[in-house]
Every structure is written in C-alpha cells, then in structure tokens.
Amino acid sequence: MTELSDAFVAAFRLVVSLDPALGEIVLRSLQVSLTAVAAASLVALPLGAALALLRFPGRGALTVLVNAMMGLPPVVVGLVVYLLLSRSGPLGVLGLLFTPAAMIVAQTVLILPIVASLARESSEGLWSEYREQLASFGVGPGRAIGTVLWDGRHALATAVLAGFGRASAEVGAVMIVGGNIDHVTRVMTTAIALETSKGDLALALGLGVVLIVISISVNAAIYGLGRSRRREGA
Amino acid sequence: MRTGTDRRRRAFLTGATVAALLAATMTTAGPARAADPYITVASTTSTDNSGLFRDILPKFEARTGIGVRVVAVGTGAALKLGAKGDADVVLVHARAAEDRFVADGFGVDRRDVMYNDYVVVGPKDDPAGIEGMTDAAAAFARIAAKGVPFSSRGDDSGTNKKELQLWQAAGIDPKPHSGTWYFETGSGMGATLNTAAGRGTYALSDRATWLAFRNRAGLAIAVEGDRRLFNPYGVMLVNPAKHGHVKVKEARMFMDWLTGPAGQAAIAAFRPGGRQLFFPNAKNATN
Amino acid sequence: MPAPSILPLTVSSLRFEAGGRRLIDDVGFTLDAGRRSVILGPNGAGKSLTLRICHGLLRPTAGTVRWQGGADVRARQAMVFQRPVMLRRTAWANLSYALSVRGVPRRERAGRIAEALRRAGLLDIARTPARLLSVGEQQRLALARAWLLEPEVLFLDEPTASLDPSATRAVEAIIQAIHAAGAKIVLTTQDMGQARRLGDEVLFLYGGRLLEHAPAERFFETPATPQARAFINGELYEDWN
C-alpha cells in the first residue's frame, strides 16, 4: 500500500511543481501521438468510408485484413517498422530510426486499422440511411464518402480518440523504433518502463498517474462529444 | 449562407490545426533539445540506468557541440544495432563478444573505457548460505545444489553472458532447470532485479545498476570481490566500410574524449551518493 | 433555353427478381408530361420497386426504362422517400447541399434556399438541425429540397404513410404546388383518399403486375379487374390463382 500512496505523492509532486522534465516528456508524447493520429486519420477515415460505401473486388478481403490488424501487438508493429527503417533495411537511407518521426510512423501503422475499422462501422450505418437519397441527388462516390465522413463526424471523433488512446498508451512499438533516448525520443510510456527497470516504482507509477489523467481527459472529451451529438439529434 | 461559411471556417481551422501540428513535429522531429550534429550510441542499460551518461555526456556536448543519443539495450542487442548500422558507436561490456564483433568486421578501433564489477545479490536471509563467499563459481554451485531460485537476465546481455560463464566455471548447466529454480526473465537488469526482489531469488547484477536500484525489498549483496566478477567496458566505432553513413568524425571525437583525460576524469568524478561506480581504465589516457 | 422534355417515360416488359422471387412481372406503361400519376396498390404490389426502377435507383432484371430526352436525365428528376432522409445538418444546410451537388454556386444559393423554405412554411426552422424536426416537418423539408432542384419529374414513395392528417394535408398542399409549378408527379400510395385527391391517372399494381392504367375518374368509377374493385371497396381480395 505504501508504494501506491508513494506513487500518488510522487505524481502530485511532479504535476504541482510543473517539473520541466515531465513537461517535456508529456509534450513529446502528445506531439508524437497526435501527429500519428492525424496522419492515420487522414488515410483511415476515407479508407473506412470507402470500405463501407464502395463495392469493389477485394473489398471483403481488405475489410477482414483491416479488422485483423486492429489486434496487432505493438511490439510486432515496432519490430516491422524497425526492420524497415534500420540502416540495413529498405528505408534505411531516410535515417529515421531512433527519431520521433519513426515513433510517429510506428504509431500510425498501429492505429490506422483501428480508426479505419471504426470509421467503416459508423459509415455503414449512415450509408444505409443515405444511400438512396444521395443516389437520387446524383452524388458520385468521392462526394458520397465526403458527405458520410462529415455527417458522421461525431462518431468519427470517437474513432479518432480511440486511436489516440491506443497510441498514447502503447510502449512496445515506440521503445523499439524510438530507443527511449533522453530528450529525443523519451515519451510517457517509455519513461515509465525505464523508471520501472530502475526499480523506482513510485516515480514510474507517478508518471502512470499523469498518463491516466490525460486518458481521463480524452475520455471525458469523447463523452462530451457524445452528449453534444445527442443534442443535435445525430 | 452562414452555414456554408461556418463549415468552411471549421474545415479551415481543422486543416490549420493538423498542419500546425505536423509542422511542429517536423521541426522538432529531429533534434528536440539535443545539439544539431549528433551521434547515436548503442549501449547497455547498466550505463544508462545508473545515471552515468546523464552525468558525463553534457560535458562532452558542451565542449564539442555534438549531441550524443544513447539507445540503452542489452549488450547483445546493442551489438546487433551496430552490426545493422543503426548506431555510430557501440559501448558495451562483454569482451569475447566485442572481439568477435571486431573480427567479423562490424566494428573497428575497440578501446578500453572503464570497468566496474558484478555482484551476486540475494535474499537477506541467504537460503543458499553463500553470503561472504569470494568465489562466485563456488557460490553458484551451492545455489544449484540447494535448488534455490535464481533470476537470470536470459537476454544475451553482457551480464547474461558473464553469468553463463560463471555457471560453466561451476560445472553446471542451468538451462534444464529453467522454470523450476532457474528463472530467465528475458528482460533488462532492472526488470530482473524487480523479479528477484519480488520472488526472493538470487541474481547477478552489475554494481552500478544495483546501487542505483531503488526497489531492493529484501535483497542484499551476497558475493562480491571475485576477480571473475570484473566487468570491463569497451567502446567501438561501427565499421564505416560496412555502413557509409556512420558519422566517423564525430564518433571518433566522442571516443577520443571518452578515453582521453577529460572523459576519464568525468567517469571517475561520477559518484552518486558519494560512491564511485565506474573506474576509468583507458590505455592511452594521455592523448 | 428550355431543353426538350425528358418525358414521356416509357417502361416496357419490366421484370425484377430478388432472392429467387419475381417481385415485378412484365410491367409496361408510358407516363406523359403534366399529369399526376398515382401508382396504387396494396402492400407488396411492387409500387416502391417500380418507382425506384423508374428513378434509376434499382436496375431491373429485365425490361427497359426509356426517357424521351436523352442527356442527364437523372439531374432532371427528384425523389422523396417514405421516411425522409435528413442529412445530419441544419434544415438550411440540407437544402444547400442539394444545390451544391447540382453545381449551383454558393452565392446563388441563399435566395433560392430561403424561397424554398418559405414555400414549405419552414423559414423559422432554417437553423434547426434537420433530425430534430418532427416527421411532418422533415417530410416538408424533403419536399422543399426536391422542389429546389426544379425537377421535371418528382417521384414520391408513399410520402405521407407515417404522417398524421394535418401533416398529410400540408405535404399534399406542397405536392400540388410543385405540380402547379410545372413538374410531373409520380406518386405511390395505398391511401384511396390520397389517390382520389392527387391522381389524374392511376396505375393499379397487384402482385407485381400492372392490372390497370386508366384516368383516375374511370378507374374509380368502373374498375376493370376484381382486384381493383375489391381494393377500391376496401375489401380483402382472396387470390385463388
């Protein structure tokens, strides 16, 4: 029990003192995960909507693949991205390994299937309702995808936030491709892993508490969005 | 009409936010606070977890303006990073593996840097009865004879290699006992010490990590001082003939500094809690 | 520059099968401009399917749907569904969307939207999210949206089936106004009263077949088939086959 109370004391101290080292790590975590979420969403939202709206050969296979990829363990993603970005790998010339960019790539790969799959689900519901009306208007596939994405934006925000949650909570992938380099690629989760390995469990848990607070904020945002959606009758 | 403008404005804001975020990341994606020219050093958890790098690297960075990015993994993994060209410099502690690394053409210019030593830690009540022994192999033999639990890194790290040498010296193959009294954690020194503390087992640790380790629970040093527990660190340049992108100039500056008077003095001056953890032993510390 | 009308619409030998069942069988008719055509019949007669095939939402298993005027016929039709499909936007934005699909420049939309809302008596709810409107208001908005597109032909699939009498009255008034403004009306219904109020001619569908196609007055006075007679009299027709 003392370890838990120590942890909360440590967390409280870290937050209240606006510990600059902590601030830097939190900022970098947000930066990496938010960029990954933005990049993944840019691809995943249209992809998910396209899977819901369009009928093309291989659509079923692609849907199964996307759904299966949702459960991909972060370490596997990390390993694959590492092998790609390694100097001995096909993308080695880019020199991205052990940079935040590599972490962004790994997290993007990790959450893209999640966002795409959730986007597909929400788009399917909307599309079954809109399909005939939009066809009657003479709306083409590109515009239909845009319409379904825009009108489904509240549900999609939930999908995007779910992606953010997964990205900001994972450690396996960013540890491998980022290397947990102090001041360069150290983020909340790798810092927690490091403090745990140093046996400084209170500090590790303290960082964990900060991560939980961020996670709660994100979920509160999801909840708030859900409420405003109900108000709009969407 | 206003709805249209609202929508455009919102779309614009969303786009601008994403763009700003991407831009922010692009500008900081490279060096965040580290200096612009930088090298990547693949090293071991013991050097990083103990706080050594955090103490001495700023001195090098201040003098040369070259940032040093440390990727701290096990010795085996660090050597693999070097072999794949994912680091410029490798700083590890496993002499036989280092020599093989150089012989295989992955590294050049191996130099001694410093040493510390290993300790055998275990529960304070010492169920194997090895406390105070100075023959590590004999102590290992006693642990095996009594079947007292032992936590091994099991991760091909320098410490793991050293531990396996000691079992060999004791004439024991622990692998068949894996899972009964021999636990292979497959993780870093800290995680292994956490396991040892949690399950009350013996373990081999480098002294630096042990001293910096905070979650000792009921563990204490049982065996130390054996000459075989000597733990030398070596630094190598990743072979630029194999990997053309290796930053030879900056990397050599780092190696020269580390094995030169300034670096050696910095290592000696690192005394957390008033105790020296690493002892400089570079051969040509006068250049 | 009035383009040549897309009417008349000629449908011939129409067949539609789904799940191994023949839902529309050998249906053919011609719809001329001007008249309000009511497709009447009980549940499952194939009314909605026929309407969707005419509008091009469904592809028939066999048979042809031919419009007189060739080019871009879809852009000169509109359709209103039994359950109004409201985009998750304000009433105003729902109308604006329809115009933008048709390529109407943004600056020209406001006046037309305001006029369409006024005609449907919906000006005061212009800023309300469409999905928060009552079903009756939603259907009026759907009509206003269809009208806005200035279609030559307006298809309506049982537009008042889920409405109460006063909402039905309001919707029928808008349909009449759209017709008065020059659009051809093609409407499906099971409601005899509505067919009498709105129909210039009746197409009586039964069991996937077109049994009668006649001017409304003649259809109601002297139906030619026992099925139509039973339907008009509100009786249950037993089909012995």
Side-chain angles (χ1 to χ4, degrees):
Chain A
M1 271 337 275
T2 58
E3 220 134 56
L4 267 182
S5 54
D6 283 357
F8 283 108
V9 170
F12 186 72
R13 207 173 282 150
L14 281 173
V15 174
V16 170
S17 67
L18 292 173
D19 185 74
L22 176 73
E24 183 196 324
I25 289 175
V26 170
L27 217 63
R28 185 174 303 111
S29 298
L30 290 176
Q31 205 175 46
V32 166
S33 295
L34 285 175
T35 313
V37 165
S41 301
L42 230 51
V43 177
L45 295 181
L47 173 66
L51 285 175
L53 268 61
L54 308 182
R55 297 290 175 268
F56 53 90
R59 169 178 167 274
L62 194 57
T63 304
V64 168
L65 185 71
V66 166
N67 284 345
M69 297 259 289
M70 271 175 85
L72 222 52
V75 279
V76 174
V77 173
L79 195 60
V80 170
V81 174
Y82 166 74
L83 291 172
L84 288 175
L85 295 183
S86 167
R87 288 289 184 176
S88 310
L91 302 177
V93 285
L94 300 177
L96 287 182
L97 195 64
F98 302 138
T99 67
M103 302 159 82
I104 290 168
V105 170
Q107 290 196 345
T108 301
V109 172
L110 189 69
I111 63 180
L112 202 149
I114 296 170
V115 179
S117 187
L118 292 173
R120 183 187 58 79
E121 255 172 54
S122 102
S123 300
E124 259 173 6
L126 212 50
W127 183 236
S128 69
E129 190 189 326
Y130 281 12
R131 189 174 52 83
E132 287 195 316
Q133 182 69 66
L134 296 196
S136 170
F137 283 154
V139 170
R143 175 134 200 181
I145 286 174
T147 301
V148 165
L149 287 179
W150 175 255
D151 281 21
R153 57 196 178 279
H154 298 292
L156 295 178
T158 311
V160 168
L161 287 174
F164 175 76
R166 168 110 158 143
S168 59
E170 77 85 25
V171 59
V174 289
M175 183 66 99
I176 295 175
V177 304
N180 191 26
I181 300 170
D182 204 6
H183 300 310
V184 181
T185 57
R186 186 159 299 164
V187 291
M188 301 283 295
T189 52
T190 60
I192 291 170
L194 177 67
E195 295 309 329
T196 305
S197 78
K198 286 188 192 169
D200 199 340
L201 303 188
L203 183 56
L205 265 173
L207 286 163
V209 169
V210 176
L211 192 62
I212 288 168
V213 168
I214 292 175
S215 162
I216 287 175
S217 315
V218 167
N219 280 287
I222 295 178
Y223 181 75
L225 277 169
R227 278 172 53 116
S228 75
R229 173 173 31 165
R230 276 189 290 282
R231 268 201 303 279
E232 272 185 42
Chain B
M1 192 168 58
R2 188 184 306 153
T3 311
T5 355
D6 272 2
R7 176 141 51 106
R8 252 188 308 181
R9 189 184 312 143
R10 254 179 301 176
F12 171 76
L13 280 177
T14 316
T17 312
V18 172
L21 247 160
L22 288 174
T25 314
M26 288 312 158
T27 49
T28 47
R33 253 179 51 185
D36 197 21
Y38 69 89
I39 56 170
T40 304
V41 176
S43 188
T44 65
T45 47
S46 55
T47 41
D48 197 43
N49 284 8
S50 63
L52 173 72
F53 283 136
R54 191 172 305 186
D55 188 70
I56 68 168
L57 289 181
K59 296 177 184 173
F60 171 71
E61 292 171 354
R63 175 179 297 199
T64 61
I66 298 169
V68 179
R69 299 185 180 179
V70 179
V71 179
V73 287
T75 288
L79 289 170
K80 285 204 182 73
L81 284 180
K84 290 176 83 84
D86 293 324
D88 302 299
V89 172
V90 180
L91 174 60
V92 293
H93 56 103
R95 187 60 203 256
E98 291 165 36
D99 290 341
R100 199 159 51 247
F101 187 73
V102 172
D104 290 345
F106 293 122
V108 294
D109 195 12
R110 188 203 168 280
R111 305 181 201 176
D112 290 331
V113 177
M114 62 192 181
Y115 67 89
N116 70 351
D117 63 343
Y118 292 106
V119 293
V120 180
V121 300
K124 283 205 180 85
D125 59 2
D126 193 26
I130 59 171
E131 198 183 334
M133 289 175 72
T134 51
D135 183 337
F140 269 39
R142 199 174 290 182
I143 289 171
K146 297 202 175 175
V148 182
F150 184 96
S151 294
S152 164
R153 291 276 293 272
D155 64 349
D156 193 35
S157 60
T159 307
N160 188 217
K161 290 173 200 286
K162 170 63 74 178
E163 175 217 320
L164 293 175
Q165 285 169 18
L166 290 170
W167 286 116
Q168 204 174 7
I172 289 158
D173 179 9
K175 295 278 179 185
H177 306 287
S178 185
T180 54
W181 58 265
Y182 186 69
F183 303 139
E184 291 180 280
T185 64
S187 43
M189 192 68 255
T192 304
L193 283 174
N194 277 331
T195 306
R199 302 198 57 155
T201 77
Y202 289 94
L204 182 73
S205 172
D206 63 283
R207 189 184 291 274
T209 303
W210 167 252
L211 287 175
F213 189 69
R214 301 273 296 276
N215 179 37
R216 289 185 197 168
L219 296 182
I221 291 178
V223 176
E224 60 187 327
D226 187 331
R227 208 177 42 78
R228 280 174 295 199
L229 293 176
F230 180 67
N231 178 27
Y233 287 76
V235 67
M236 285 158 290
L237 178 68
V238 173
N239 191 350
K242 266 214 155 74
H243 297 288
H245 59 268
V246 169
K247 297 165 181 161
V248 179
K249 184 168 138 261
E250 292 86 353
R252 279 217 202 278
M253 282 172 74
F254 174 67
M255 292 167 68
D256 290 344
W257 178 83
L258 196 65
T259 56
Q264 295 280 295
I267 291 169
F270 173 58
R271 302 172 71 89
R275 281 193 69 151
Q276 184 171 349
L277 290 186
F278 296 95
F279 299 87
N281 70 338
K283 299 239 163 47
N284 308 309
T286 47
N287 58 350
Chain C
M1 35 143 226
S5 172
I6 59 172
L7 290 164
L9 163 68
T10 308
V11 170
S12 41
S13 313
L14 211 59
R15 204 169 76 219
F16 187 84
E17 290 166 359
R21 292 178 55 212
R22 183 165 296 190
L23 301 173
I24 293 179
D25 193 8
D26 194 28
V27 166
F29 53 79
T30 297
L31 298 180
D32 294 314
R35 276 199 297 256
R36 295 164 301 176
S37 305
V38 170
I39 302 177
L40 188 64
N43 258 336
K47 304 186 298 290
S48 291
L49 286 175
T50 305
L51 205 65
R52 280 171 165 77
I53 290 170
C54 289
H55 189 41
L57 296 180
L58 286 176
R59 199 185 292 274
T61 309
T64 55
V65 174
R66 218 180 63 245
W67 297 89
Q68 181 64 36
D72 204 13
V73 292
R74 168 63 66 74
R76 292 157 75 181
Q77 316 165 27
M79 181 157 172
V80 169
F81 298 87
Q82 180 180 341
R83 294 159 147 277
V85 179
M86 295 286 108
L87 302 183
R88 283 156 172 73
R89 312 169 185 216
T90 62
W92 183 284
N94 262 274
L95 301 197
S96 183
Y97 180 86
L99 284 181
S100 85
V101 169
R102 290 288 156 89
V104 177
R106 195 175 291 273
R107 62 180 180 287
E108 288 174 24
R109 287 183 213 158
R112 290 175 66 176
I113 294 170
E115 173 60 14
L117 287 170
R118 193 194 55 73
R119 287 186 302 214
L122 296 170
L123 258 185
D124 50 331
I125 52 93
R127 301 292 169 205
T128 309
R131 313 238 326 149
L132 293 189
L133 300 175
S134 72
V135 186
E137 287 170 325
Q138 288 190 8
Q139 196 57 292
R140 279 152 63 199
L141 185 62
L143 279 162
R145 190 171 59 189
W147 195 354
L148 190 62
L149 301 175
E150 295 170 354
E152 269 176 64
V153 181
L154 175 60
F155 293 102
L156 300 113
D157 186 17
E158 304 200 31
T160 61
S162 32
L163 302 185
D164 64 20
S166 83
T168 299
R169 196 156 34 241
V171 164
E172 287 185 1
I174 298 172
I175 295 172
Q176 297 287 28
I178 295 174
H179 179 246
K184 161 84 179 177
I185 302 291
V186 183
L187 173 138
T188 67
T189 187
Q190 313 186 33
D191 178 347
M192 288 292 302
Q194 185 164 64
R196 284 180 200 272
R197 287 191 297 275
L198 295 182
D200 294 319
E201 63 172 357
V202 172
L203 294 86
F204 183 68
L205 279 184
Y206 190 92
R209 291 173 163 275
L210 179 64
L211 297 190
E212 305 200 26
H213 183 181
E217 205 164 320
R218 193 174 77 204
F219 174 79
F220 289 118
E221 295 304 317
T222 55
T225 57
Q227 289 91 337
R229 236 180 342 264
F231 188 77
I232 291 169
N233 294 332
E235 295 162 4
L236 296 172
Y237 179 82
E238 300 293 337
D239 198 346
W240 308 290
N241 269 343

